[in-house]
Amino acid sequence: MRIYEGRHMEPVSPAVSRRGLLTAAATAGSVLVLTAPARASAHVSTVPAEFREHDRIATVVTQSPAGLPVAHTYAADFHDRLGDWIRMWWASAPSAWIAPFHVITSGTAQGGHALLLNGIGYTRAGKSQLGFDAAVRDSRYWATVASLYRHFPSVTARAGHLEISDGQAGFTGSSEQIGFVRASLTQVWGQAQAPSDIAGRTGWNAFTEATARQGLSNHHSL
């Protein structure tokens, strides 16, 4: 895997446009478990083939809240879609933010089908800063929630982090999603009226993508 330099992060496939949004779903590859030949001693992995341990999401390093590099076990499909999400988030971020950046996480849950997200850091003027902080309910908080809802059905606020659950993305009408819509309308868009087609797939995708861009200060009209 190649590393990213400067403003851009290197996508897995396809290439990411700085002003575009990557919405193509990644295809999860099968994982082969290799066994040692007869009579040879070998470590036998206790992680099922459909789960893998990763120290990155796409090319982005994961760190603990203490700032240390950390690896977690993810379901394969879930980890692939997290890669799609972080590419979208970075494409929506201000151009003044540069790589390297990192995802701050308390770990995974639900047997590798959920991520506990604390923050996202980026580099500016040679210093690491937070572009998203799960403890601060500002416009970038709601923009990040919007980007997550573009790829996942459930984003639950916990003490100090968000719990992002695996599943098919889309509008469900849950109390969490309704709360997100109301908050993002006032905190990001400065209005109270939601688009009439928000419950449809196209409308939901458009609203979450635009809210992500708007809230991260990369302004575009809805």
Side-chain angles (χ1 to χ4, degrees):
M1 179 179 294
R2 293 174 292 176
I3 61 172
Y4 51 83
E5 297 179 355
R7 173 69 186 103
H8 304 286
M9 65 173 287
E10 182 71 21
V12 177
S13 176
V16 175
S17 167
R18 177 61 186 84
R19 298 183 182 277
L21 295 172
L22 178 65
T23 57
T27 301
S30 60
V31 179
L32 299 180
V33 179
L34 303 181
T35 58
R39 303 182 193 175
S41 61
H43 170 72
V44 178
S45 174
T46 59
V47 180
E50 65 271 22
F51 294 85
R52 291 294 299 273
E53 187 175 71
H54 297 274
D55 61 0
R56 299 168 187 266
I57 295 175
T59 58
V60 184
V61 173
T62 49
Q63 293 184 358
S64 70
L68 301 175
V70 66
H72 299 298
T73 299
Y74 302 81
D77 286 350
F78 181 55
H79 186 263
D80 286 344
R81 278 183 285 120
L82 284 170
D84 292 341
W85 157 69
I86 198 62
R87 294 183 188 102
M88 173 189 172
W89 188 92
W90 188 238
S92 303
S95 58
W97 298 5
I98 63 172
F101 71 115
H102 53 274
V103 171
I104 305 167
T105 169
S106 298
T108 53
Q110 301 178 30
H113 287 278
L115 176 71
L116 309 182
L117 179 66
N118 298 73
I120 306 173
Y122 68 96
T123 304
R124 188 171 188 180
K127 296 181 179 180
S128 180
Q129 303 185 40
L130 281 179
F132 161 71
D133 185 346
V136 179
R137 301 290 183 93
D138 57 8
S139 65
R140 290 173 179 171
Y141 173 95
W142 294 111
T144 300
V145 173
S147 70
L148 288 163
Y149 270 132
R150 175 63 184 83
H151 294 89
F152 304 100
S154 177
V155 181
T156 305
R158 306 293 189 192
H161 65 264
L162 297 177
E163 183 171 334
I164 300 101
S165 299
D166 197 2
Q168 181 67 41
F171 183 77
T172 65
S174 67
S175 59
E176 294 168 346
Q177 287 191 352
I178 296 299
F180 150 70
V181 171
R182 290 173 176 168
S184 61
L185 284 172
T186 57
Q187 305 252 348
V188 176
W189 295 104
Q191 63 186 51
Q193 186 67 37
S196 59
D197 63 346
I198 196 171
R201 180 176 180 180
T202 300
W204 181 250
N205 289 350
F207 179 75
T208 52
E209 289 179 11
T211 300
R213 293 192 300 266
Q214 183 79 2
L216 287 169
S217 300
N218 189 14
H219 296 290
H220 295 267
S221 59
L222 185 62

